[in-house]
């Protein structure tokens, strides 16, 4: 089976769309970064480094310092697909990120987005 094209896309190519989506709804780039850091265990410096290196989604998640175990609490739909039912592990991680950004754009409080 061929790999999905999102896997080879750089996180940096999609990141501005995450920020724009959040900012259109009155949220901030800092909140987008906080979500990504919570999910992956990156520091702000290491996140910025990965964006600068144009790391692919596949490598970004494979090399994440510490994927948050609470990410399994993320449920709901993204593009009509239930994130908790996505079988392919890498696609599930990407969908988790999409879902968290959606929640941010919908005005959900950060403590709920980060499953605090």
């Amino acid at each position: 089976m061929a790999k999905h094209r999102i896997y080879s896309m750089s996180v940096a190519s999609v990141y501005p769309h995450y920020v724009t989506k959040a900012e259109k709804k009155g949220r901030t780039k800092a909140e987008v970064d906080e979500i990504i850091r919570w999910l992956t265990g990156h520091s702000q410096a290491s996140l910025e480094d990965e964006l600068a290196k144009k790391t692919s989604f596949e490598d970004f998640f494979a090399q994440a310092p510490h994927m948050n175990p609470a990410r399994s609490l993320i449920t709901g739909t993204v593009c009509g697909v239930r994130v908790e039912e996505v079988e392919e592990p890498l696609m599930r991680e990407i969908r988790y990120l999409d879902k968290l950004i959606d929640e941010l754009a919908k005005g959900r409080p950060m403590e709920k987005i980060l499953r605090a």
Side-chain angles (χ1 to χ4, degrees), residues 30-96:
E31 288 173 309
V32 171
D33 289 355
E34 183 178 354
I35 286 170
I36 296 170
R37 292 192 320 262
W38 175 86
L39 182 63
T40 63
H42 277 287
S43 66
Q44 187 63 36
S46 66
L47 172 59
E48 290 171 4
D49 185 50
E50 295 300 326
L51 294 172
K53 290 192 300 189
K54 298 190 180 336
T55 304
S56 70
F57 273 98
E58 185 171 29
D59 291 340
F60 183 74
F61 285 109
Q63 299 165 6
H66 177 73
M67 293 301 294
N68 193 317
R71 72 191 186 283
S72 63
L73 300 174
I74 302 167
T75 59
T77 59
V78 175
C79 300
V81 176
R82 294 206 66 80
V83 294
E84 63 272 25
E85 294 174 1
V86 175
E87 290 188 21
E88 205 289 307
L90 177 56
M91 184 59 80
R92 188 178 324 113
E93 302 299 351
I94 294 168
R95 294 294 186 178
Y96 282 155

